[in-house]
Amino acid sequence: RKDPDALYRLVDENITPYVDVDGIARSVMGQYFRQATPAQQKEFARVFKQSLVRTYAKGLTSYENQKIVFKPYKAGPDPQKAQVNVDVHGSSGQVYPVTFQMQLDKAGEWKVRNLILNGINLGLTFRNQFGSAVEANRGSLDKAIAGWTPDTKAMEGSSADAGKPNKTAKQ
């Protein structure tokens, strides 16, 4: 908490290698990815990675030795994809389900492709937010990319308000 830059470096060095940042950024851009130039695609991936690192680091600062339980793995029909289900037990006894959607990359390594936190599909939520940003900027991808900051209030509210209705995109 006292040195956010050190925490950002820690997250970038130890967590992002296991995340398909380019694939997630492509998914978040949705229909606009095909319209974007290669430079815009690359810039959004850079900006998205930066926001991902900062969001994850912020989440780590609130971690206080809560119990984390990995559920037994159940293979799905596609051997290139997997789901890792985790329950995070809050200090007040609440349980927050987290699902890491994984995919094998071209090098045969498992990478995170999406995260579902307490029923909130973050990939879909961020895609909706990016689409709204493009619309708010009258179709300018450059402005939407430059101003990209995901609204993570939905994530924060999901753990604080577990069990309450939420209007954020759900899977």
Side-chain angles (χ1 to χ4, degrees):
R1 291 178 185 157
K2 293 179 183 175
D3 189 355
D5 288 334
L7 185 56
Y8 297 153
R9 280 191 305 278
L10 180 76
V11 169
D12 191 33
E13 293 169 4
N14 295 288
I15 295 173
T16 59
Y18 303 101
V19 177
D20 182 0
V21 174
D22 291 335
I24 296 171
R26 188 171 45 250
S27 178
V28 167
M29 287 186 83
Q31 67 184 12
Y32 300 105
F33 182 81
R34 290 181 293 283
Q35 299 170 18
T37 66
Q40 288 170 321
Q41 294 168 354
K42 185 176 179 179
E43 177 62 6
F44 183 71
R46 185 194 69 75
V47 169
F48 182 78
K49 178 181 176 184
Q50 183 180 43
S51 69
L52 189 71
V53 166
R54 290 179 185 275
T55 299
Y56 200 86
K58 183 179 176 185
L60 285 176
T61 62
S62 65
Y63 178 77
E64 295 179 0
N65 293 319
Q66 289 91 343
K67 181 179 172 184
I68 298 174
V69 177
F70 286 82
K71 302 260 187 137
Y73 175 73
K74 296 177 189 169
D78 186 344
Q80 302 292 310
K81 296 181 180 183
Q83 271 193 186
V84 177
N85 296 305
V86 178
D87 283 339
V88 178
H89 296 256
S91 55
S92 301
Q94 65 275 40
V95 177
Y96 307 110
V98 179
T99 299
F100 295 89
Q101 293 180 328
M102 311 289 291
Q103 188 167 336
L104 275 176
D105 68 6
K106 292 177 183 174
E109 295 180 5
W110 288 102
K111 303 280 180 151
V112 175
R113 278 291 301 208
N114 193 15
L115 181 68
I116 300 170
L117 175 60
N118 203 31
I120 298 172
N121 182 324
L122 296 185
L124 182 57
T125 299
F126 291 163
R127 183 181 314 143
N128 291 339
Q129 290 175 7
F130 185 77
S132 293
V134 172
E135 287 178 27
N137 285 289
R138 297 187 174 142
S140 171
L141 288 177
D142 288 328
K143 288 180 181 177
I145 292 167
W148 172 255
T149 304
D151 180 359
T152 58
K153 288 182 185 80
M155 292 186 322
E156 294 161 8
S158 70
S159 49
D161 300 323
K164 292 183 183 176
N166 191 317
K167 296 180 181 175
T168 307
K170 295 198 178 209
Q171 183 179 19

